[in-house]
Amino acid sequence: MREIMISATERLQYLCDTIPALISHISEQEFSHKLSANKWSKKQILGHLIDSAANNHQRFVRVQFEETPFIVYDQDNWNACSRYQDMEPAHVIAFWEAYNRHLLEVLKRIPAESLSRTCKTNEAEPVTLLWLVEDYVKHLEYHLRQIVEY
């Protein structure tokens, strides 16, 4: 179980060390371009990952002291109300990096015995903290590949 956690934190470390520089080289026009009105731009996808970090931060912390917390979020409304599309790219990139570096530090300090604690999300059944961590990193990897090749 701990090996999965270490793998996830190593992958998150790699993303924090690699992705900001790659995204910074994307032109403002490409970063903000929307293929259609109901599709997110690359900037909004990165914003979605910030929202995911905020919600998963709660999960990673609260699951350690609450009995099966219930934490879900409406990703479309979070993205719309945060208005990432209107923000400077450098701000969105820096905030994504800072938040994920913070989560990395939180994750490194989770006691092994907490990894089996559970949380309710939009999944059918409660999931473990270990599952949440692995799913978070997989989710990052999936969406970051929509923004940039790495």
Side-chain angles (χ1 to χ4, degrees), residues 4 8 15 21 36 41-42 51 56 58 62-64 84-85 87 90 92 94 104-105 113 125 135-136 147-148:
I4 295 169
L15 296 173
S36 68
S41 67
K42 291 180 178 189
D51 298 340
N56 279 287
Q58 278 202 58
R62 290 175 52 193
V63 73
Q64 293 182 70
Y84 295 108
Q85 189 69 2
M87 294 181 189
V92 179
L104 184 58
E105 294 303 316
E113 60 271 14
E125 297 293 324
D135 185 65
Y136 177 72
I147 299 172
V148 68

Side-chain angles (χ1 to χ4, degrees), residues 28 31-34 39-45 79-80 82-89 92:
E28 163 70 31
F31 198 48
S32 298
H33 178 71
K34 295 176 68 155
K39 295 281 187 187
W40 287 343
S41 67
K42 291 180 178 189
K43 190 190 307 183
Q44 288 172 304
I45 292 170
N79 200 293
S82 294
R83 294 171 180 79
Y84 295 108
Q85 189 69 2
D86 301 332
M87 294 181 189
E88 290 296 318
V92 179

Side-chain angles (χ1 to χ4, degrees), residues 64-86:
Q64 293 182 70
F65 67 89
E66 290 182 24
E67 196 60 40
T68 315
F70 181 57
I71 307 167
V72 297
Y73 74 104
D74 180 332
Q75 66 183 19
D76 291 322
N77 279 323
W78 269 70
N79 200 293
C81 292
S82 294
R83 294 171 180 79
Y84 295 108
Q85 189 69 2
D86 301 332

Side-chain angles (χ1 to χ4, degrees), residues 79-114:
N79 200 293
C81 292
S82 294
R83 294 171 180 79
Y84 295 108
Q85 189 69 2
D86 301 332
M87 294 181 189
E88 290 296 318
H91 170 79
V92 179
I93 295 165
F95 188 47
W96 177 87
E97 179 182 3
Y99 211 149
N100 279 281
R101 287 193 185 279
H102 176 70
L103 287 181
L104 184 58
E105 294 303 316
V106 169
L107 295 176
K108 288 177 183 177
R109 290 162 177 77
I110 293 175
E113 60 271 14
S114 294

Side-chain angles (χ1 to χ4, degrees), residues 112-125:
E113 60 271 14
S114 294
L115 295 174
S116 61
R117 293 185 57 89
T118 59
C119 180
K120 292 179 186 173
T121 65
N122 55 345
E123 298 294 323
E125 297 293 324

